[in-house]
Amino acid sequence: MQYNFNPLVIRGKSLIPIVQGGMGVGVSASKLSSAVARENGIGTIASVDLRHLHDDLLAESKVNPTEEKYCKLNHIALDREIQAARANTEGKGMIAVNVMKAVKDHQALVRQACESGADAIVMGAGLPLDLPEMTEGYHKDVALLPILSESRGINIVLKRWMKKGILPDAIVIEHPAHAAGHLGAMTVDGVNDEKFEFKRVIEETFEVFKKLGLESEKIPLVLAGGMANFDKITTALKTWGASAVQIGTAFAVTEEGDAHLNFKKTLAGAPTEQVVEFMSVAGLPARGVRTKFLDNYIKREAKLQANAKADPRRCTQGINCLSVCGLRDGLEKVGQFCIDIQLAAAWRGEVDKGLFFRGKDPLPFGHSIRTVHETIQYLLHGHVAENLQLQAG
């Protein structure tokens, strides 16, 4: 594929400068990730609760359910998705697995991803300080990409990893004011802090590299959040010094996206004013479409938080998927709902019941559902075919 940007080089492999972001529950699995990899990009499987994609595992999880059983079945599902993705890449690109640090089972999921043959591990939703330990024994085979939002966190992670003789293969810099899902800020108001501006973070990160003697390492910086726009990509890669961009929502709505068509239509059809921020049950700000569920929840949020109390029975599924859960742990300043139930409903296309994470910015094709190939053609060239009218904002 010809394009006017430098390739993203990971572990000596030359790739297009496009990384598909990980999106759970089930939104980015084997079908989407392999389609991106076939374009010679990095396709990402989100490791959160993939049992929903496998009827036999979902049925089994309802028979004498236990937390241990849920974890086991999710590991089987992750292995299946990685194997299916790898079988469909045509030997191109890379298959990464996104593991949220906030997930209780994150260490075991990282190990499973490595054992199943993932090319890379991407970790955010918390400082991935111990990711090198989690991948012990796989450092020669698995690339490590931490997700961070500002230079202070990057500095902390680099210093910790350097003590172990490990460096990131790339660093994903996610802007909380634009990204979808869980955001790298402490509060909803904090997502717009100037310290997260891409140009500033890149400049400060280059200074961090200089102070730590890492300039010669040429660690790629990947910008995430609102980057599904050719002009923005051009600025990031040609002017700011980034090596690639990570994009989620624009891939979630493609034909190959693993979620239900209703999910894709909900994201693609959401007007800007309906994309809102709120506090997630995981203790982080989040961004999604204000559908019926989220609208009702936001209206009742203050009352629900006032009645928060620690009670294991509030985890009605018994999954205990998060290390910290506002609903289960009675944390009155964060979310008070079961995120797994709501995200799974969204994946199934249940518009009124689901929680639909979405980025803040316009999508390349407006309300249209296009292919991964067409999306990447636009991202790399600013157009797909002659006479095609794009709605890039």
Side-chain angles (χ1 to χ4, degrees), residues 133-158:
E133 286 93 334
M134 295 182 222
T135 53
E136 187 71 38
Y138 291 95
H139 293 154
K140 291 183 179 180
D141 305 312
V142 182
L144 304 182
L145 287 71
I147 302 178
L148 301 153
S149 291
E150 41 88 25
S151 60
R152 180 175 174 272
I154 292 171
N155 184 53
I156 292 170
V157 168
L158 285 172

mmCIF file with all atom_site columns, all heavy atoms in Angstrom, residues 133-158:
data_model
loop_
_atom_site.group_PDB
_atom_site.id
_atom_site.type_symbol
_atom_site.label_atom_id
_atom_site.label_alt_id
_atom_site.label_comp_id
_atom_site.label_asym_id
_atom_site.label_entity_id
_atom_site.label_seq_id
_atom_site.pdbx_PDB_ins_code
_atom_site.Cartn_x
_atom_site.Cartn_y
_atom_site.Cartn_z
_atom_site.occupancy
_atom_site.B_iso_or_equiv
_atom_site.pdbx_formal_charge
_atom_site.auth_seq_id
_atom_site.auth_comp_id
_atom_site.auth_asym_id
_atom_site.auth_atom_id
_atom_site.pdbx_PDB_model_num
ATOM 1   N N   . GLU A 1 133 ? 6.832  -7.521  34.140 1.00 0.00 ? 133 GLU A N   1
ATOM 2   C CA  . GLU A 1 133 ? 6.776  -8.741  34.950 1.00 0.00 ? 133 GLU A CA  1
ATOM 3   C C   . GLU A 1 133 ? 5.691  -9.692  34.440 1.00 0.00 ? 133 GLU A C   1
ATOM 4   O O   . GLU A 1 133 ? 5.869  -10.911 34.451 1.00 0.00 ? 133 GLU A O   1
ATOM 5   C CB  . GLU A 1 133 ? 6.497  -8.405  36.417 1.00 0.00 ? 133 GLU A CB  1
ATOM 6   C CG  . GLU A 1 133 ? 7.685  -7.802  37.150 1.00 0.00 ? 133 GLU A CG  1
ATOM 7   C CD  . GLU A 1 133 ? 7.686  -6.285  37.119 1.00 0.00 ? 133 GLU A CD  1
ATOM 8   O OE1 . GLU A 1 133 ? 7.111  -5.703  36.176 1.00 0.00 ? 133 GLU A OE1 1
ATOM 9   O OE2 . GLU A 1 133 ? 8.251  -5.673  38.030 1.00 0.00 ? 133 GLU A OE2 1
ATOM 10  N N   . MET A 1 134 ? 4.566  -9.124  34.028 1.00 0.00 ? 134 MET A N   1
ATOM 11  C CA  . MET A 1 134 ? 3.464  -9.966  33.552 1.00 0.00 ? 134 MET A CA  1
ATOM 12  C C   . MET A 1 134 ? 3.840  -10.731 32.296 1.00 0.00 ? 134 MET A C   1
ATOM 13  O O   . MET A 1 134 ? 3.292  -11.809 32.031 1.00 0.00 ? 134 MET A O   1
ATOM 14  C CB  . MET A 1 134 ? 2.235  -9.096  33.258 1.00 0.00 ? 134 MET A CB  1
ATOM 15  C CG  . MET A 1 134 ? 1.628  -8.411  34.461 1.00 0.00 ? 134 MET A CG  1
ATOM 16  S SD  . MET A 1 134 ? 0.152  -7.478  33.939 1.00 0.00 ? 134 MET A SD  1
ATOM 17  C CE  . MET A 1 134 ? 0.370  -5.976  34.874 1.00 0.00 ? 134 MET A CE  1
ATOM 18  N N   . THR A 1 135 ? 4.733  -10.170 31.504 1.00 0.00 ? 135 THR A N   1
ATOM 19  C CA  . THR A 1 135 ? 5.111  -10.784 30.225 1.00 0.00 ? 135 THR A CA  1
ATOM 20  C C   . THR A 1 135 ? 6.459  -11.495 30.313 1.00 0.00 ? 135 THR A C   1
ATOM 21  O O   . THR A 1 135 ? 7.066  -11.796 29.285 1.00 0.00 ? 135 THR A O   1
ATOM 22  C CB  . THR A 1 135 ? 5.158  -9.719  29.120 1.00 0.00 ? 135 THR A CB  1
ATOM 23  O OG1 . THR A 1 135 ? 6.005  -8.636  29.538 1.00 0.00 ? 135 THR A OG1 1
ATOM 24  C CG2 . THR A 1 135 ? 3.767  -9.177  28.833 1.00 0.00 ? 135 THR A CG2 1
ATOM 25  N N   . GLU A 1 136 ? 6.918  -11.760 31.522 1.00 0.00 ? 136 GLU A N   1
ATOM 26  C CA  . GLU A 1 136 ? 8.192  -12.454 31.725 1.00 0.00 ? 136 GLU A CA  1
ATOM 27  C C   . GLU A 1 136 ? 8.225  -13.750 30.922 1.00 0.00 ? 136 GLU A C   1
ATOM 28  O O   . GLU A 1 136 ? 7.284  -14.545 30.945 1.00 0.00 ? 136 GLU A O   1
ATOM 29  C CB  . GLU A 1 136 ? 8.379  -12.779 33.212 1.00 0.00 ? 136 GLU A CB  1
ATOM 30  C CG  . GLU A 1 136 ? 9.737  -13.350 33.546 1.00 0.00 ? 136 GLU A CG  1
ATOM 31  C CD  . GLU A 1 136 ? 10.844 -12.320 33.434 1.00 0.00 ? 136 GLU A CD  1
ATOM 32  O OE1 . GLU A 1 136 ? 10.599 -11.152 33.812 1.00 0.00 ? 136 GLU A OE1 1
ATOM 33  O OE2 . GLU A 1 136 ? 11.935 -12.690 32.972 1.00 0.00 ? 136 GLU A OE2 1
ATOM 34  N N   . GLY A 1 137 ? 9.318  -13.943 30.176 1.00 0.00 ? 137 GLY A N   1
ATOM 35  C CA  . GLY A 1 137 ? 9.459  -15.131 29.351 1.00 0.00 ? 137 GLY A CA  1
ATOM 36  C C   . GLY A 1 137 ? 8.983  -14.941 27.926 1.00 0.00 ? 137 GLY A C   1
ATOM 37  O O   . GLY A 1 137 ? 9.230  -15.797 27.064 1.00 0.00 ? 137 GLY A O   1
ATOM 38  N N   . TYR A 1 138 ? 8.314  -13.816 27.658 1.00 0.00 ? 138 TYR A N   1
ATOM 39  C CA  . TYR A 1 138 ? 7.800  -13.551 26.312 1.00 0.00 ? 138 TYR A CA  1
ATOM 40  C C   . TYR A 1 138 ? 8.358  -12.261 25.702 1.00 0.00 ? 138 TYR A C   1
ATOM 41  O O   . TYR A 1 138 ? 7.886  -11.822 24.662 1.00 0.00 ? 138 TYR A O   1
ATOM 42  C CB  . TYR A 1 138 ? 6.263  -13.463 26.343 1.00 0.00 ? 138 TYR A CB  1
ATOM 43  C CG  . TYR A 1 138 ? 5.603  -14.782 26.625 1.00 0.00 ? 138 TYR A CG  1
ATOM 44  C CD1 . TYR A 1 138 ? 5.241  -15.139 27.914 1.00 0.00 ? 138 TYR A CD1 1
ATOM 45  C CD2 . TYR A 1 138 ? 5.359  -15.693 25.598 1.00 0.00 ? 138 TYR A CD2 1
ATOM 46  C CE1 . TYR A 1 138 ? 4.630  -16.363 28.186 1.00 0.00 ? 138 TYR A CE1 1
ATOM 47  C CE2 . TYR A 1 138 ? 4.746  -16.919 25.858 1.00 0.00 ? 138 TYR A CE2 1
ATOM 48  C CZ  . TYR A 1 138 ? 4.397  -17.247 27.152 1.00 0.00 ? 138 TYR A CZ  1
ATOM 49  O OH  . TYR A 1 138 ? 3.802  -18.465 27.406 1.00 0.00 ? 138 TYR A OH  1
ATOM 50  N N   . HIS A 1 139 ? 9.351  -11.666 26.345 1.00 0.00 ? 139 HIS A N   1
ATOM 51  C CA  . HIS A 1 139 ? 9.848  -10.376 25.894 1.00 0.00 ? 139 HIS A CA  1
ATOM 52  C C   . HIS A 1 139 ? 10.419 -10.406 24.481 1.00 0.00 ? 139 HIS A C   1
ATOM 53  O O   . HIS A 1 139 ? 10.395 -9.392  23.777 1.00 0.00 ? 139 HIS A O   1
ATOM 54  C CB  . HIS A 1 139 ? 10.912 -9.847  26.869 1.00 0.00 ? 139 HIS A CB  1
ATOM 55  C CG  . HIS A 1 139 ? 10.353 -9.496  28.213 1.00 0.00 ? 139 HIS A CG  1
ATOM 56  N ND1 . HIS A 1 139 ? 11.100 -9.503  29.359 1.00 0.00 ? 139 HIS A ND1 1
ATOM 57  C CD2 . HIS A 1 139 ? 9.094  -9.151  28.601 1.00 0.00 ? 139 HIS A CD2 1
ATOM 58  C CE1 . HIS A 1 139 ? 10.348 -9.168  30.392 1.00 0.00 ? 139 HIS A CE1 1
ATOM 59  N NE2 . HIS A 1 139 ? 9.128  -8.955  29.954 1.00 0.00 ? 139 HIS A NE2 1
ATOM 60  N N   . LYS A 1 140 ? 10.921 -11.553 24.031 1.00 0.00 ? 140 LYS A N   1
ATOM 61  C CA  . LYS A 1 140 ? 11.478 -11.646 22.682 1.00 0.00 ? 140 LYS A CA  1
ATOM 62  C C   . LYS A 1 140 ? 10.389 -11.725 21.617 1.00 0.00 ? 140 LYS A C   1
ATOM 63  O O   . LYS A 1 140 ? 10.645 -11.446 20.445 1.00 0.00 ? 140 LYS A O   1
ATOM 64  C CB  . LYS A 1 140 ? 12.383 -12.879 22.572 1.00 0.00 ? 140 LYS A CB  1
ATOM 65  C CG  . LYS A 1 140 ? 13.672 -12.780 23.386 1.00 0.00 ? 140 LYS A CG  1
ATOM 66  C CD  . LYS A 1 140 ? 14.541 -14.014 23.167 1.00 0.00 ? 140 LYS A CD  1
ATOM 67  C CE  . LYS A 1 140 ? 15.839 -13.909 23.962 1.00 0.00 ? 140 LYS A CE  1
ATOM 68  N NZ  . LYS A 1 140 ? 16.705 -15.102 23.771 1.00 0.00 ? 140 LYS A NZ  1
ATOM 69  N N   . ASP A 1 141 ? 9.190  -12.109 22.021 1.00 0.00 ? 141 ASP A N   1
ATOM 70  C CA  . ASP A 1 141 ? 8.130  -12.375 21.052 1.00 0.00 ? 141 ASP A CA  1
ATOM 71  C C   . ASP A 1 141 ? 6.982  -11.370 21.071 1.00 0.00 ? 141 ASP A C   1
ATOM 72  O O   . ASP A 1 141 ? 6.268  -11.230 20.081 1.00 0.00 ? 141 ASP A O   1
ATOM 73  C CB  . ASP A 1 141 ? 7.534  -13.770 21.310 1.00 0.00 ? 141 ASP A CB  1
ATOM 74  C CG  . ASP A 1 141 ? 8.587  -14.858 21.295 1.00 0.00 ? 141 ASP A CG  1
ATOM 75  O OD1 . ASP A 1 141 ? 9.396  -14.878 20.352 1.00 0.00 ? 141 ASP A OD1 1
ATOM 76  O OD2 . ASP A 1 141 ? 8.608  -15.665 22.243 1.00 0.00 ? 141 ASP A OD2 1
ATOM 77  N N   . VAL A 1 142 ? 6.781  -10.695 22.196 1.00 0.00 ? 142 VAL A N   1
ATOM 78  C CA  . VAL A 1 142 ? 5.589  -9.855  22.367 1.00 0.00 ? 142 VAL A CA  1
ATOM 79  C C   . VAL A 1 142 ? 5.978  -8.398  22.595 1.00 0.00 ? 142 VAL A C   1
ATOM 80  O O   . VAL A 1 142 ? 6.715  -8.079  23.536 1.00 0.00 ? 142 VAL A O   1
ATOM 81  C CB  . VAL A 1 142 ? 4.725  -10.366 23.543 1.00 0.00 ? 142 VAL A CB  1
ATOM 82  C CG1 . VAL A 1 142 ? 3.473  -9.517  23.695 1.00 0.00 ? 142 VAL A CG1 1
ATOM 83  C CG2 . VAL A 1 142 ? 4.353  -11.829 23.345 1.00 0.00 ? 142 VAL A CG2 1
ATOM 84  N N   . ALA A 1 143 ? 5.482  -7.522  21.733 1.00 0.00 ? 143 ALA A N   1
ATOM 85  C CA  . ALA A 1 143 ? 5.728  -6.089  21.874 1.00 0.00 ? 143 ALA A CA  1
ATOM 86  C C   . ALA A 1 143 ? 4.845  -5.525  22.984 1.00 0.00 ? 143 ALA A C   1
ATOM 87  O O   . ALA A 1 143 ? 3.727  -5.997  23.204 1.00 0.00 ? 143 ALA A O   1
ATOM 88  C CB  . ALA A 1 143 ? 5.435  -5.370  20.559 1.00 0.00 ? 143 ALA A CB  1
ATOM 89  N N   . LEU A 1 144 ? 5.346  -4.511  23.679 1.00 0.00 ? 144 LEU A N   1
ATOM 90  C CA  . LEU A 1 144 ? 4.613  -3.906  24.797 1.00 0.00 ? 144 LEU A CA  1
ATOM 91  C C   . LEU A 1 144 ? 4.314  -2.449  24.490 1.00 0.00 ? 144 LEU A C   1
ATOM 92  O O   . LEU A 1 144 ? 5.224  -1.663  24.211 1.00 0.00 ? 144 LEU A O   1
ATOM 93  C CB  . LEU A 1 144 ? 5.425  -4.018  26.090 1.00 0.00 ? 144 LEU A CB  1
ATOM 94  C CG  . LEU A 1 144 ? 5.851  -5.434  26.504 1.00 0.00 ? 144 LEU A CG  1
ATOM 95  C CD1 . LEU A 1 144 ? 6.603  -5.391  27.835 1.00 0.00 ? 144 LEU A CD1 1
ATOM 96  C CD2 . LEU A 1 144 ? 4.663  -6.370  26.587 1.00 0.00 ? 144 LEU A CD2 1
ATOM 97  N N   . LEU A 1 145 ? 3.028  -2.086  24.571 1.00 0.00 ? 145 LEU A N   1
ATOM 98  C CA  . LEU A 1 145 ? 2.593  -0.719  24.276 1.00 0.00 ? 145 LEU A CA  1
ATOM 99  C C   . LEU A 1 145 ? 1.747  -0.188  25.429 1.00 0.00 ? 145 LEU A C   1
ATOM 100 O O   . LEU A 1 145 ? 0.557  -0.501  25.529 1.00 0.00 ? 145 LEU A O   1
ATOM 101 C CB  . LEU A 1 145 ? 1.768  -0.665  22.984 1.00 0.00 ? 145 LEU A CB  1
ATOM 102 C CG  . LEU A 1 145 ? 2.487  -0.830  21.644 1.00 0.00 ? 145 LEU A CG  1
ATOM 103 C CD1 . LEU A 1 145 ? 2.983  -2.253  21.428 1.00 0.00 ? 145 LEU A CD1 1
ATOM 104 C CD2 . LEU A 1 145 ? 1.556  -0.410  20.505 1.00 0.00 ? 145 LEU A CD2 1
ATOM 105 N N   . PRO A 1 146 ? 2.321  0.585   26.328 1.00 0.00 ? 146 PRO A N   1
ATOM 106 C CA  . PRO A 1 146 ? 1.522  1.204   27.385 1.00 0.00 ? 146 PRO A CA  1
ATOM 107 C C   . PRO A 1 146 ? 0.692  2.358   26.840 1.00 0.00 ? 146 PRO A C   1
ATOM 108 O O   . PRO A 1 146 ? 1.115  3.051   25.907 1.00 0.00 ? 146 PRO A O   1
ATOM 109 C CB  . PRO A 1 146 ? 2.578  1.716   28.370 1.00 0.00 ? 146 PRO A CB  1
ATOM 110 C CG  . PRO A 1 146 ? 3.779  1.984   27.512 1.00 0.00 ? 146 PRO A CG  1
ATOM 111 C CD  . PRO A 1 146 ? 3.750  0.941   26.427 1.00 0.00 ? 146 PRO A CD  1
ATOM 112 N N   . ILE A 1 147 ? -0.494 2.554   27.414 1.00 0.00 ? 147 ILE A N   1
ATOM 113 C CA  . ILE A 1 147 ? -1.335 3.700   27.074 1.00 0.00 ? 147 ILE A CA  1
ATOM 114 C C   . ILE A 1 147 ? -1.257 4.700   28.214 1.00 0.00 ? 147 ILE A C   1
ATOM 115 O O   . ILE A 1 147 ? -1.574 4.380   29.363 1.00 0.00 ? 147 ILE A O   1
ATOM 116 C CB  . ILE A 1 147 ? -2.804 3.295   26.859 1.00 0.00 ? 147 ILE A CB  1
ATOM 117 C CG1 . ILE A 1 147 ? -2.927 2.260   25.755 1.00 0.00 ? 147 ILE A CG1 1
ATOM 118 C CG2 . ILE A 1 147 ? -3.648 4.530   26.526 1.00 0.00 ? 147 ILE A CG2 1
ATOM 119 C CD1 . ILE A 1 147 ? -4.368 1.793   25.525 1.00 0.00 ? 147 ILE A CD1 1
ATOM 120 N N   . LEU A 1 148 ? -0.854 5.925   27.898 1.00 0.00 ? 148 LEU A N   1
ATOM 121 C CA  . LEU A 1 148 ? -0.730 6.987   28.896 1.00 0.00 ? 148 LEU A CA  1
ATOM 122 C C   . LEU A 1 148 ? -1.275 8.274   28.305 1.00 0.00 ? 148 LEU A C   1
ATOM 123 O O   . LEU A 1 148 ? -1.529 8.353   27.094 1.00 0.00 ? 148 LEU A O   1
ATOM 124 C CB  . LEU A 1 148 ? 0.738  7.142   29.314 1.00 0.00 ? 148 LEU A CB  1
ATOM 125 C CG  . LEU A 1 148 ? 1.349  5.859   29.922 1.00 0.00 ? 148 LEU A CG  1
ATOM 126 C CD1 . LEU A 1 148 ? 2.847  5.808   29.701 1.00 0.00 ? 148 LEU A CD1 1
ATOM 127 C CD2 . LEU A 1 148 ? 1.018  5.776   31.398 1.00 0.00 ? 148 LEU A CD2 1
ATOM 128 N N   . SER A 1 149 ? -1.469 9.281   29.151 1.00 0.00 ? 149 SER A N   1
ATOM 129 C CA  . SER A 1 149 ? -2.095 10.507  28.660 1.00 0.00 ? 149 SER A CA  1
ATOM 130 C C   . SER A 1 149 ? -1.240 11.754  28.798 1.00 0.00 ? 149 SER A C   1
ATOM 131 O O   . SER A 1 149 ? -1.540 12.771  28.180 1.00 0.00 ? 149 SER A O   1
ATOM 132 C CB  . SER A 1 149 ? -3.440 10.730  29.380 1.00 0.00 ? 149 SER A CB  1
ATOM 133 O OG  . SER A 1 149 ? -4.378 9.762   28.988 1.00 0.00 ? 149 SER A OG  1
ATOM 134 N N   . GLU A 1 150 ? -0.196 11.697  29.625 1.00 0.00 ? 150 GLU A N   1
ATOM 135 C CA  . GLU A 1 150 ? 0.638  12.890  29.776 1.00 0.00 ? 150 GLU A CA  1
ATOM 136 C C   . GLU A 1 150 ? 2.062  12.494  30.133 1.00 0.00 ? 150 GLU A C   1
ATOM 137 O O   . GLU A 1 150 ? 2.331  11.350  30.498 1.00 0.00 ? 150 GLU A O   1
ATOM 138 C CB  . GLU A 1 150 ? 0.039  13.859  30.802 1.00 0.00 ? 150 GLU A CB  1
ATOM 139 C CG  . GLU A 1 150 ? -0.544 13.207  32.038 1.00 0.00 ? 150 GLU A CG  1
ATOM 140 C CD  . GLU A 1 150 ? 0.463  12.997  33.142 1.00 0.00 ? 150 GLU A CD  1
ATOM 141 O OE1 . GLU A 1 150 ? 1.456  13.747  33.181 1.00 0.00 ? 150 GLU A OE1 1
ATOM 142 O OE2 . GLU A 1 150 ? 0.277  12.081  33.951 1.00 0.00 ? 150 GLU A OE2 1
ATOM 143 N N   . SER A 1 151 ? 2.974  13.452  30.005 1.00 0.00 ? 151 SER A N   1
ATOM 144 C CA  . SER A 1 151 ? 4.402  13.154  30.088 1.00 0.00 ? 151 SER A CA  1
ATOM 145 C C   . SER A 1 151 ? 4.840  12.688  31.476 1.00 0.00 ? 151 SER A C   1
ATOM 146 O O   . SER A 1 151 ? 5.792  11.908  31.597 1.00 0.00 ? 151 SER A O   1
ATOM 147 C CB  . SER A 1 151 ? 5.216  14.383  29.684 1.00 0.00 ? 151 SER A CB  1
ATOM 148 O OG  . SER A 1 151 ? 4.932  15.492  30.532 1.00 0.00 ? 151 SER A OG  1
ATOM 149 N N   . ARG A 1 152 ? 4.157  13.132  32.517 1.00 0.00 ? 152 ARG A N   1
ATOM 150 C CA  . ARG A 1 152 ? 4.537  12.696  33.859 1.00 0.00 ? 152 ARG A CA  1
ATOM 151 C C   . ARG A 1 152 ? 4.378  11.192  34.002 1.00 0.00 ? 152 ARG A C   1
ATOM 152 O O   . ARG A 1 152 ? 5.265  10.495  34.523 1.00 0.00 ? 152 ARG A O   1
ATOM 153 C CB  . ARG A 1 152 ? 3.685  13.419  34.905 1.00 0.00 ? 152 ARG A CB  1
ATOM 154 C CG  . ARG A 1 152 ? 4.005  13.017  36.339 1.00 0.00 ? 152 ARG A CG  1
ATOM 155 C CD  . ARG A 1 152 ? 3.205  13.854  37.343 1.00 0.00 ? 152 ARG A CD  1
ATOM 156 N NE  . ARG A 1 152 ? 3.406  13.376  38.704 1.00 0.00 ? 152 ARG A NE  1
ATOM 157 C CZ  . ARG A 1 152 ? 2.671  12.415  39.277 1.00 0.00 ? 152 ARG A CZ  1
ATOM 158 N NH1 . ARG A 1 152 ? 1.680  11.844  38.579 1.00 0.00 ? 152 ARG A NH1 1
ATOM 159 N NH2 . ARG A 1 152 ? 2.910  12.026  40.506 1.00 0.00 ? 152 ARG A NH2 1
ATOM 160 N N   . GLY A 1 153 ? 3.242  10.661  33.532 1.00 0.00 ? 153 GLY A N   1
ATOM 161 C CA  . GLY A 1 153 ? 3.015  9.225   33.588 1.00 0.00 ? 153 GLY A CA  1
ATOM 162 C C   . GLY A 1 153 ? 4.006  8.472   32.720 1.00 0.00 ? 153 GLY A C   1
ATOM 163 O O   . GLY A 1 153 ? 4.488  7.389   33.095 1.00 0.00 ? 153 GLY A O   1
ATOM 164 N N   . ILE A 1 154 ? 4.325  9.026   31.560 1.00 0.00 ? 154 ILE A N   1
ATOM 165 C CA  . ILE A 1 154 ? 5.306  8.399   30.672 1.00 0.00 ? 154 ILE A CA  1
ATOM 166 C C   . ILE A 1 154 ? 6.665  8.315   31.361 1.00 0.00 ? 154 ILE A C   1
ATOM 167 O O   . ILE A 1 154 ? 7.346  7.278   31.309 1.00 0.00 ? 154 ILE A O   1
ATOM 168 C CB  . ILE A 1 154 ? 5.410  9.189   29.350 1.00 0.00 ? 154 ILE A CB  1
ATOM 169 C CG1 . ILE A 1 154 ? 4.108  9.032   28.559 1.00 0.00 ? 154 ILE A CG1 1
ATOM 170 C CG2 . ILE A 1 154 ? 6.607  8.714   28.526 1.00 0.00 ? 154 ILE A CG2 1
ATOM 171 C CD1 . ILE A 1 154 ? 4.006  9.932   27.344 1.00 0.00 ? 154 ILE A CD1 1
ATOM 172 N N   . ASN A 1 155 ? 7.053  9.381   32.027 1.00 0.00 ? 155 ASN A N   1
ATOM 173 C CA  . ASN A 1 155 ? 8.326  9.417   32.752 1.00 0.00 ? 155 ASN A CA  1
ATOM 174 C C   . ASN A 1 155 ? 8.369  8.344   33.844 1.00 0.00 ? 155 ASN A C   1
ATOM 175 O O   . ASN A 1 155 ? 9.371  7.623   33.988 1.00 0.00 ? 155 ASN A O   1
ATOM 176 C CB  . ASN A 1 155 ? 8.532  10.802  33.351 1.00 0.00 ? 155 ASN A CB  1
ATOM 177 C CG  . ASN A 1 155 ? 9.869  10.948  34.048 1.00 0.00 ? 155 ASN A CG  1
ATOM 178 O OD1 . ASN A 1 155 ? 10.920 10.669  33.474 1.00 0.00 ? 155 ASN A OD1 1
ATOM 179 N ND2 . ASN A 1 155 ? 9.844  11.388  35.297 1.00 0.00 ? 155 ASN A ND2 1
ATOM 180 N N   . ILE A 1 156 ? 7.278  8.227   34.588 1.00 0.00 ? 156 ILE A N   1
ATOM 181 C CA  . ILE A 1 156 ? 7.219  7.241   35.677 1.00 0.00 ? 156 ILE A CA  1
ATOM 182 C C   . ILE A 1 156 ? 7.342  5.819   35.131 1.00 0.00 ? 156 ILE A C   1
ATOM 183 O O   . ILE A 1 156 ? 8.106  5.004   35.647 1.00 0.00 ? 156 ILE A O   1
ATOM 184 C CB  . ILE A 1 156 ? 5.906  7.401   36.475 1.00 0.00 ? 156 ILE A CB  1
ATOM 185 C CG1 . ILE A 1 156 ? 5.910  8.726   37.241 1.00 0.00 ? 156 ILE A CG1 1
ATOM 186 C CG2 . ILE A 1 156 ? 5.714  6.231   37.439 1.00 0.00 ? 156 ILE A CG2 1
ATOM 187 C CD1 . ILE A 1 156 ? 4.570  9.078   37.871 1.00 0.00 ? 156 ILE A CD1 1
ATOM 188 N N   . VAL A 1 157 ? 6.582  5.519   34.074 1.00 0.00 ? 157 VAL A N   1
ATOM 189 C CA  . VAL A 1 157 ? 6.605  4.182   33.498 1.00 0.00 ? 157 VAL A CA  1
ATOM 190 C C   . VAL A 1 157 ? 7.981  3.860   32.916 1.00 0.00 ? 157 VAL A C   1
ATOM 191 O O   . VAL A 1 157 ? 8.518  2.764   33.130 1.00 0.00 ? 157 VAL A O   1
ATOM 192 C CB  . VAL A 1 157 ? 5.509  4.035   32.416 1.00 0.00 ? 157 VAL A CB  1
ATOM 193 C CG1 . VAL A 1 157 ? 5.713  2.759   31.605 1.00 0.00 ? 157 VAL A CG1 1
ATOM 194 C CG2 . VAL A 1 157 ? 4.132  4.037   33.066 1.00 0.00 ? 157 VAL A CG2 1
ATOM 195 N N   . LEU A 1 158 ? 8.570  4.804   32.204 1.00 0.00 ? 158 LEU A N   1
ATOM 196 C CA  . LEU A 1 158 ? 9.885  4.558   31.609 1.00 0.00 ? 158 LEU A CA  1
ATOM 197 C C   . LEU A 1 158 ? 10.944 4.269   32.672 1.00 0.00 ? 158 LEU A C   1
ATOM 198 O O   . LEU A 1 158 ? 11.741 3.326   32.533 1.00 0.00 ? 158 LEU A O   1
ATOM 199 C CB  . LEU A 1 158 ? 10.311 5.756   30.758 1.00 0.00 ? 158 LEU A CB  1
ATOM 200 C CG  . LEU A 1 158 ? 9.625  5.906   29.398 1.00 0.00 ? 158 LEU A CG  1
ATOM 201 C CD1 . LEU A 1 158 ? 10.008 7.228   28.757 1.00 0.00 ? 158 LEU A CD1 1
ATOM 202 C CD2 . LEU A 1 158 ? 9.987  4.752   28.475 1.00 0.00 ? 158 LEU A CD2 1
#
